[in-house]
Each structure stands twice: as C-alpha cells, then as structure tokens.
Amino acid sequence: MGVPYSLDLRKRVIEAVDNGMTQVQAARTFKVSRKSICNWLDLRAGTKSLAAKVGYQKGHSNKITD
C-alpha cells in the first residue's frame, strides 16, 4: 500500500460523483482507481469522513529483548 491520496483530492472526487459524474468518469478524470472511489464512498458512509486511516499499521518491533 502506497501513500494515501490527499484529503483535498478525495473531497473533489467524491463531490464530482455526488454532482452526477459516474465513478468511471471520475476515475479517468482524476486518475484514481474506481476501487478507491468505492472505498471512499464506503468510508464516508461509515465514518462521515474521508480522512485516511492512521495508526493501524504498527508492524513488528525491531527491538531485541532478553
């Protein structure tokens, strides 16, 4: 997974879809995947926000404990 898209871009894409642009047209216009648009719509429906998730990728600890 790469760097998340900016909140500004997410808002512009979703606003375009809300104003009648199809998801396919929005994906081509803004150069994002249709799957990303679907995920953002689901995220907005669930959390009322388009902000990227943070803090869930903890990874493995690199410390050696004895």
Side-chain angles (χ1 to χ4, degrees), residues 9-12 24 26 32-33 43-45 47 51-52 57 60 63:
L9 175 64
R10 292 170 181 237
K11 287 179 180 178
R12 287 188 288 138
V24 173
V32 298
S33 71
L43 181 65
R44 182 181 68 173
T47 64
Q57 295 175 325
H60 293 287
K63 294 181 182 178

Side-chain angles (χ1 to χ4, degrees), residues 32-44:
V32 298
S33 71
R34 193 184 58 76
K35 181 65 177 167
S36 291
I37 296 172
C38 290
N39 289 341
W40 298 338
L41 290 169
D42 290 344
L43 181 65
R44 182 181 68 173

